[in-house]
Amino acid sequence: MASLASNFAGISSPNPFWLASAPPTDKEYNVRRAFEAGWGGVVWKTLGEDGPPIVNVNGPRYGAIWGADRRLLGLNNIELITDRPLQVNLDEMARVKKDYPDRALIASLMVPVDEDSWKIILDRVLETGCDGVELNFGCPHGMSERGMGSAVGQVPDYVQQVTEWCKKHSDLPVIVKLTPNITDIRKPAQAAHDGGADAVSLINTINSITSVNLDSFAPEPTIDGKGAHGGYCGPAVKPIALNMVAEIARSPSLSGLPISGIGGITTWRDAAEFLALGAGNVQVCTAAMTYGFKIVQEMISGLSQYMDEKGFRSVDEIVGRAVPNCSDWQHLNLNYVTKARINQDLCIKCGRCYAACEDTSHQAISMTPDRVFDVIDAECVACNLCVNVCPVESCITMEELQPGTVDERTGKVVEKDYANWTTHPNNPGSCAAE
Amino acid sequence: MPDNQLTPGIAPDRLDASDYAENFADLHPRLDAHEALVAADRCYFCHDAPCITACPTDIDIPLFIRQIATGTPQAAAETILTQNILGGMCARVCPTETLCEEACVREAAEGKPVLIGQLQRYATDTLMEANVHPFQRAPATGKSVAIVGAGPAGLACAHRLAMHGHDVTLYDARSKAGGLNEFGIAAYKTVDQFAEREVDWLLQIGGITVKTGQKLGADIMLNQLRTEFDAVFLGIGLGGVNALGLDHENKTGVEDAVGFIADLRQAQDLAKVPVGRDVVVIGGGMTAIDAAVQAKLLGALNVTLVYRRGRDRMNASRFEQDLAASKGVRIITNASPVALHGNGSVREIEFEYTKDDLSPTGQTFRLAADQVFKAIGQTLAGEGLPDLEGRKIAVTGPGRTSVPGVWAGGDCAAGGDDLTVTAVAEGREAAEDINRSLAV
C-alpha cells in the first residue's frame, strides 16, 4: 500500500492534508479534534502582535452561494485574525504539539511591516515547538485596511522584505501565503523566493461580494445595513487556485519552490489535482467548515486507493506530474481535430445540447421530430459546449479525427504532424519551421 | 355499542373517529418551500420539452419549474394557470405518471421523474393562498354565452370566455358547481374543500353567473339557450351509469360507484357514510379504484375489485392500482359477474373467469358481498342533443357540434381521454373558438 507520508519544505506529517489557517484552527479544542480525525497538519489561525485582542464584527461573518439542494459552493468571510490573546494561543499550541509530535503544527503570523514586530512574534512562537511559520500576506479584508495581509502580499517588495526578516530572525521553515488578488501570481511568488522563503502557499481568499439583499439593497453578509467585501473560498475558487499553482510550478525561475496548494479542495480528487499541478501538499478549510473534520478520512482512503491503482509509492510521485502538460495557447496542436459524438443509447433526449449549440454556438446539432440529436460534422468546431451542458456523463464525447481523414467543416485533410500558431500561415509573426 | 368492521351489512361508524381523519388525509401533502426547491432543481430545462408535449393543456413546465427554483412561485402559478385555469386540481388528480412525468427525461435517465405534479401544486397553492387572481377581463363585448355543466370543461370554458369580455351564464344540474371535481374523485386527493375553493377563486374573474339546480332537458332547453345566448357550450359530462346486465340488479346493496363517491364527498361527517362489511367493486377505471379505496378507508372489512380483463388493460394507472393494493384492496382480474345472490339484499356475487378476449372459461367463484359497486363506465344522458359519434357528442376541431352555435367538450364529447386535464383543454379551446366566432 502506498505511503501518504509527507515531507513539505522539511516539515513532516503523516499525510499531505493540512487544515488551513482559519476558524477551524483557532483553538486547542478544535485542533485536537482535527488531529484525532486524522489531519496530517494544522496551520494555526493567524496570530497578531501582543496587545489588546483583535475585535470582530458581532453580526454575520460569512456569506455563501449554493448549488442544488443548498450544496455550499462558495463561502465568503469577513472574520479577522485570531481575536484571542496571543499567550493563550501560544500556550495551547505548545500543549497540542507536545501531545501530537508526529503532526505538523504551523504558526500563521501577521504583524505590521517593521522588522521588530516580526522579530518579536517569531521569538514568541518559537517557544511553542511549532514546525514552521506561515506569513499571512493574503487576508483581503479588514487587516488589509491596516496595511497587513493582502496589502503586503500585493507589493512584491514588501513580500521579499518581510520574508528576509523572518529568515534572518528564525530558523523555522518559512511559508509565504499569497493573495490571489493580484494580476500575476508569479511576481509575489518570485519575491518570496528571492527573500529566501522555504515555500509558498496559495491561494488565500478572493475579494468578493456573495450576493445583494434585494430588499435592503445591501451586500451580503450585511452588518446593520452595510456590507464590506470578504474573502471568497470553497469549491467555486478551485479552478482559479489550480491555475495560480500551475503558473508558479511551471515558472523556470521558481523551479523547486515548494507549493502548499489551497483553494476549494473538497475531496481526495481535488487534492490529487493540486499535487499533480505541482503542490507538495494541500491545505483545506471550507470543506471542513461545511462537513466537519471527518472528511479527511475520505481524502486519505481516496488518495491511497488512487496511488495504489496507479502504482505510486509516495505522494512525491504525483507532485508535478501534470506540470509539463501545462502549456501556452500558442503551443497547442492546431492539427488535432475532434468532433462531438452523441451516444444514442445513453441520450435521454433532453435537448440541452441542441439548445446550447443552436442558440449560442455553431448550429452543429440536428434534431428530428422524434427527438434524435446528432452532430453535423460540417458545422462542429469541437467547442465541447454540448459535452459540458449534457446532464448524462459520457453521453457526448469528443472523437479525434484520424490523420488522413477529411474535416468536413474545413474540407481539409487532417495532418498527422503537430503544428501550432507560431508557424501558422495566418499568424503575421509566424516563421516557417525549417 | 357502535358498529365495527365485523358488523354485517351496510353500516356507518365502522371506525373510531380519529381513524377517519387519518384515512382521508391528503394523499400527497404539499411540498414545503425547501422540498420544492430541491425538486425544482432537478429539472433540466429541456429544449422543446417532452413534458410540455405530454401535457394535454401544454403547460410550459420547464418555465414554471424554473420560476419556482428562482423563488417566484406566483409567477410559476401564472404560467400554469394561463394554460390550465384548473391547474390546482390537475396538480392533484392528473395521472402524471402517464403524462408529463412519464415523458420527463429524468424518468428515462434514472426512473425518477421531476415531481411535476407536486411542483405544480406548490405553485398554484401559493398563489391561491395569497388570494391572487392574476387574470383580468377584457372590455365587455356585449356577447353572452350559455355553458351547461360546471365541471372542468365548463369552468375552463367560462373563465376563458369571461377573460375575453363575454358574459357567461354557467348552468349545472347539481346543487353546486365543480362537476366531478366536487362530486367525483377520491376525497383524499382534494382535501379541505379544495374543489369548492378553486371554483370560488376561478369566479373572481367576474362576468360569470352560476345557476345551479338547472338540468338540461328539464329546467333548461338547448333550443331556448340557443335563442337567448350568442353561443352555447355543452360540458354536461356523462350522467348515466352502465348496468351490469344481470338479473336482480335492483337488489338492495347493488349501487353505482359514482353515487357512493358523490355522497361521500358531500358528507359532513364521514363516520355517517354507511359502507358494507364485504364490498365488491366491478370495473377497472379510476372510479372503480376511488370507490374501492374509499370503501376500505371507511372501514369495510373486505374490499375486492374485480375487472374482466388483465391489469394491463385497466384504465386506472399503475400508481392507482398500487395505491389500492397498499390500502388493502384485493384486485381480481379476468373475471366477469354472472349472478347476484341474496334474498332481497345482495349476499353474494358470482363471477366467471374470462380469457383476455372475454370468452368464458366455465370456471366460476363467489364472493361474499353486502355491497356491490358498479363502476363499468358511464354514458351520455339526455335527449335533443347534437349528433352523436358512437355514444358521445360528435365534435370537429375545437369542440364544434353538428348544431350551429353549439360547442361541446369534456367527457360528453367524443374523442380524448376522460381526464380532468383533457376536459380543461377542450373547454379552453372551445372558448377560443367561440370567441373567434363571436368577433365575426
Side-chain angles (χ1 to χ4, degrees):
Chain A
M1 193 168 140
S3 165
L4 293 186
S6 168
N7 187 315
F8 180 78
I11 305 164
S12 64
S13 58
N15 63 56
F17 305 112
W18 291 4
L19 281 171
S21 169
T25 61
D26 192 26
K27 54 181 184 286
E28 180 177 358
Y29 178 83
N30 300 38
V31 175
R32 283 184 184 275
R33 286 171 57 80
F35 283 156
E36 287 303 316
W39 290 91
V42 156
V43 184
W44 202 276
K45 185 166 166 89
T46 305
L47 309 175
E49 60 185 342
D50 210 354
I54 288 288
V55 174
N56 268 302
V57 295
N58 299 298
R61 300 179 188 185
Y62 303 113
I65 64 163
W66 297 274
D69 201 6
R70 265 180 88 85
R71 176 181 286 258
L72 193 138
L73 297 180
L75 189 70
N76 151 307
N77 87 87
I78 56 168
E79 185 171 292
L80 303 184
I81 61 175
T82 185
D83 54 10
R84 303 181 326 135
L86 178 61
Q87 193 58 51
V88 171
N89 277 306
L90 296 174
D91 292 345
E92 291 185 3
M93 290 167 74
R95 284 200 296 270
V96 172
K97 181 61 197 176
K98 184 164 167 287
D99 287 349
Y100 295 90
D102 67 322
R103 311 301 172 94
L105 186 77
I106 311 298
S108 172
L109 305 175
M110 182 196 288
V111 293
V113 186
D114 62 75
E115 188 167 354
D116 280 350
S117 297
W118 285 94
K119 181 177 186 311
I120 290 166
I121 191 79
L122 286 164
D123 288 346
R124 296 287 297 274
V125 299
L126 203 57
E127 68 200 49
T128 65
C130 68
D131 300 292
V133 295
E134 184 180 80
L135 314 187
N136 183 340
F137 295 160
C139 189
H141 50 269
M143 302 312 287
S144 57
E145 297 172 14
R146 305 173 199 177
M148 291 180 272
S150 66
V152 176
Q154 286 166 339
V155 183
D157 288 348
Y158 294 172
V159 172
Q160 181 171 343
Q161 178 68 78
V162 177
T163 308
E164 285 171 356
W165 291 335
C166 292
K167 288 306 292 181
K168 178 176 161 191
H169 295 294
S170 172
D171 294 331
L172 289 171
V174 172
I175 305 166
V176 175
K177 188 166 182 179
L178 302 178
T179 175
N181 299 304
I182 40 87
T183 309
D184 185 345
I185 195 68
R186 291 172 299 187
K187 296 293 189 288
Q190 187 69 52
H193 188 48
D194 294 346
D198 296 278
V200 290
S201 57
L202 70 159
I203 58 174
N204 205 308
T205 57
I206 304 171
N207 287 344
S208 62
I209 292 172
T210 47
S211 60
V212 176
N213 186 309
L214 292 177
D215 295 317
S216 63
F217 294 99
E220 301 276 10
T222 306
I223 312 292
D224 190 27
K226 305 286 185 190
H229 80 261
Y232 197 45
C233 54
V237 311
K238 180 187 141 194
I240 297 166
L242 282 176
N243 177 59
M244 289 187 165
V245 166
E247 286 286 288
I248 293 171
R250 70 192 196 92
S251 179
S253 66
L254 296 170
S255 173
L257 179 65
I259 303 167
S260 187
I262 312 170
I265 295 164
T266 308
T267 68
W268 72 266
R269 189 177 291 274
D270 297 329
E273 290 175 22
F274 273 87
L275 297 176
L277 279 180
N281 77 355
V282 296
Q283 296 185 32
V284 176
C285 174
T286 310
M289 292 181 75
T290 308
Y291 303 107
F293 291 141
K294 190 177 169 182
I295 55 164
V296 74
Q297 292 166 22
E298 164 267 309
M299 292 179 172
I300 289 169
S301 69
L303 186 65
S304 181
Q305 181 182 329
Y306 168 76
M307 288 170 63
D308 285 345
E309 286 168 2
K310 292 287 181 187
F312 298 142
R313 286 155 299 170
S314 72
V315 172
D316 287 345
E317 288 187 44
I318 309 173
V319 175
R321 265 190 119 84
V323 174
N325 294 326
C326 289
S327 186
D328 295 324
W329 192 96
Q330 63 180 338
H331 296 126
L332 299 178
N333 184 3
L334 295 174
N335 284 339
Y336 176 76
V337 182
T338 63
K339 299 289 178 188
R341 292 288 173 258
I342 301 173
N343 182 327
Q344 299 298 338
D345 293 334
L346 293 177
C347 177
I348 59 172
K349 305 190 186 301
C350 68
R352 281 170 59 158
C353 58
Y354 177 84
C357 193
E358 191 70 10
D359 287 358
T360 71
S361 292
H362 299 84
Q363 296 78 49
I365 293 180
S366 62
M367 175 180 176
T368 65
D370 57 343
R371 303 184 72 80
V372 174
F373 300 92
D374 233 324
V375 176
I376 304 165
D377 280 4
E379 304 294 340
C380 178
V381 304
C383 73
N384 208 41
L385 181 63
C386 55
V387 173
N388 294 331
V389 302
C390 177
V392 180
E393 207 174 321
S394 304
C395 176
I396 309 181
T397 49
M398 302 305 289
E399 180 184 271
E400 182 181 356
L401 293 192
Q402 292 306 306
T405 55
V406 174
D407 178 353
E408 288 182 35
R409 184 175 69 86
T410 59
K412 291 180 180 164
V413 175
V414 177
E415 302 284 341
K416 164 167 107 292
D417 297 327
Y418 163 91
N420 64 40
W421 174 244
T422 61
T423 56
H424 196 277
N426 288 15
N427 180 355
S430 71
C431 48
E434 294 183 53
Chain B
M1 183 183 146
D3 290 303
N4 61 31
Q5 290 196 276
L6 289 173
T7 305
I10 301 174
D13 289 313
R14 287 190 180 275
L15 304 174
D16 292 336
S18 59
D19 294 335
Y20 291 99
E22 187 175 320
N23 287 357
F24 287 88
D26 209 338
L27 182 61
H28 298 294
R30 178 183 152 184
L31 298 177
D32 68 27
H34 176 71
E35 290 172 322
L37 287 178
V38 173
D41 204 83
R42 295 187 64 238
C43 175
Y44 285 145
F45 205 73
C46 294
H47 172 77
D48 191 14
C51 53
I52 305 178
T53 309
C55 174
T57 54
D58 302 308
I59 293 171
D60 191 338
I61 293 163
L63 177 60
F64 94 67
I65 292 179
R66 189 173 170 86
Q67 289 169 316
I68 291 173
T70 55
T72 54
Q74 290 198 20
E78 192 167 341
T79 299
I80 295 160
L81 297 162
T82 298
Q83 289 297 107
N84 180 339
I85 199 65
L86 297 181
M89 182 59 81
C90 289
R92 289 163 165 78
V93 303
C94 260
T96 52
E97 63 277 6
T98 61
L99 296 171
C100 52
E101 291 180 15
E102 182 180 56
C104 177
V105 300
R106 297 203 77 147
E107 170 66 27
E110 58 220 45
K112 289 192 179 69
V114 175
L115 298 175
I116 299 169
Q118 294 196 57
L119 285 167
Q120 178 164 320
R121 175 169 171 187
Y122 173 78
T124 51
D125 277 11
T126 301
L127 180 124
M128 287 176 65
E129 278 169 18
N131 202 27
V132 171
H133 191 95
F135 305 104
Q136 289 173 343
R137 293 194 74 189
T141 61
K143 304 282 186 181
S144 65
V145 181
I147 295 178
V148 187
L155 286 166
C157 186
H159 188 272
R160 186 54 63 103
L161 287 168
M163 268 180 70
H164 284 307
H166 308 302
D167 289 324
V168 177
T169 304
L170 182 56
Y171 296 97
D172 200 278
R174 300 252 200 186
S175 57
K176 52 180 161 177
L180 285 178
N181 290 358
E182 177 62 42
F183 294 93
I185 298 172
Y188 46 79
K189 293 179 188 170
T190 166
V191 301
D192 301 329
Q193 276 76 48
F194 179 77
E196 197 171 335
R197 286 190 286 123
E198 186 177 43
V199 170
D200 291 344
W201 172 87
L202 179 148
L203 294 175
Q204 287 180 20
I205 186 72
I208 303 171
T209 305
V210 179
K211 294 191 173 179
T212 54
Q214 302 290 306
K215 187 173 167 63
L216 186 67
D219 309 295
I220 48 174
M221 301 297 163
L222 183 55
N223 282 339
Q224 181 194 346
L225 295 176
R226 291 182 63 207
T227 311
E228 290 179 20
F229 294 87
D230 296 303
V232 179
F233 175 81
L234 299 175
I236 55 178
L238 301 172
V241 176
N242 289 338
L244 297 173
L246 302 179
D247 292 338
H248 317 299
E249 200 164 321
N250 58 354
K251 276 186 196 300
T252 303
V254 180
E255 303 169 24
D256 296 334
V258 289
F260 167 68
I261 294 169
D263 290 347
L264 189 152
R265 285 290 305 277
Q266 299 305 311
Q268 297 296 314
D269 179 2
L270 288 169
K272 300 302 173 213
V273 179
V275 70
R277 188 185 88 158
D278 299 299
V279 175
V280 174
V281 181
I282 302 168
M286 293 296 296
T287 302
I289 295 278
D290 285 356
V293 171
Q294 294 188 109
K296 190 72 188 158
L297 298 179
L298 283 174
L301 185 65
N302 298 303
V303 178
T304 311
L305 185 150
V306 187
Y307 177 57
R308 59 184 179 157
R309 300 182 194 267
R311 276 188 79 161
D312 56 325
R313 295 284 296 274
M314 289 173 73
N315 274 335
S317 68
R318 190 78 197 190
F319 171 82
E320 294 289 339
Q321 296 174 35
D322 292 346
L323 175 71
S326 75
K327 298 295 181 189
V329 174
R330 179 187 178 201
I331 297 176
I332 296 176
T333 55
N334 290 95
S336 292
V338 291
L340 293 157
H341 302 286
N343 194 6
S345 296
V346 66
R347 287 286 171 263
E348 283 185 323
I349 179 166
E350 186 173 348
F351 292 88
E352 179 174 11
Y353 284 114
T354 50
K355 297 176 184 168
D356 280 341
D357 63 0
L358 297 182
S359 59
T361 62
Q363 297 190 51
T364 62
F365 63 94
R366 292 185 179 199
L367 294 174
D370 34 37
Q371 196 169 29
V372 172
F373 290 125
K374 295 178 284 184
I376 56 171
Q378 291 146 252
T379 49
L380 182 62
E383 292 175 4
L385 296 170
D387 292 347
L388 303 187
E389 176 188 336
R391 297 157 73 189
K392 294 185 168 190
I393 298 172
V395 291
T396 54
R400 295 179 193 176
T401 70
S402 60
V403 180
V406 179
W407 282 256
D411 290 359
C412 71
D417 301 318
D418 289 349
L419 296 173
T420 306
V421 66
T422 317
V424 171
E426 291 170 3
R428 183 194 74 197
E429 290 311 297
E432 293 293 350
D433 197 48
I434 293 168
N435 180 54
R436 284 189 292 271
S437 76
L438 295 181
V440 175

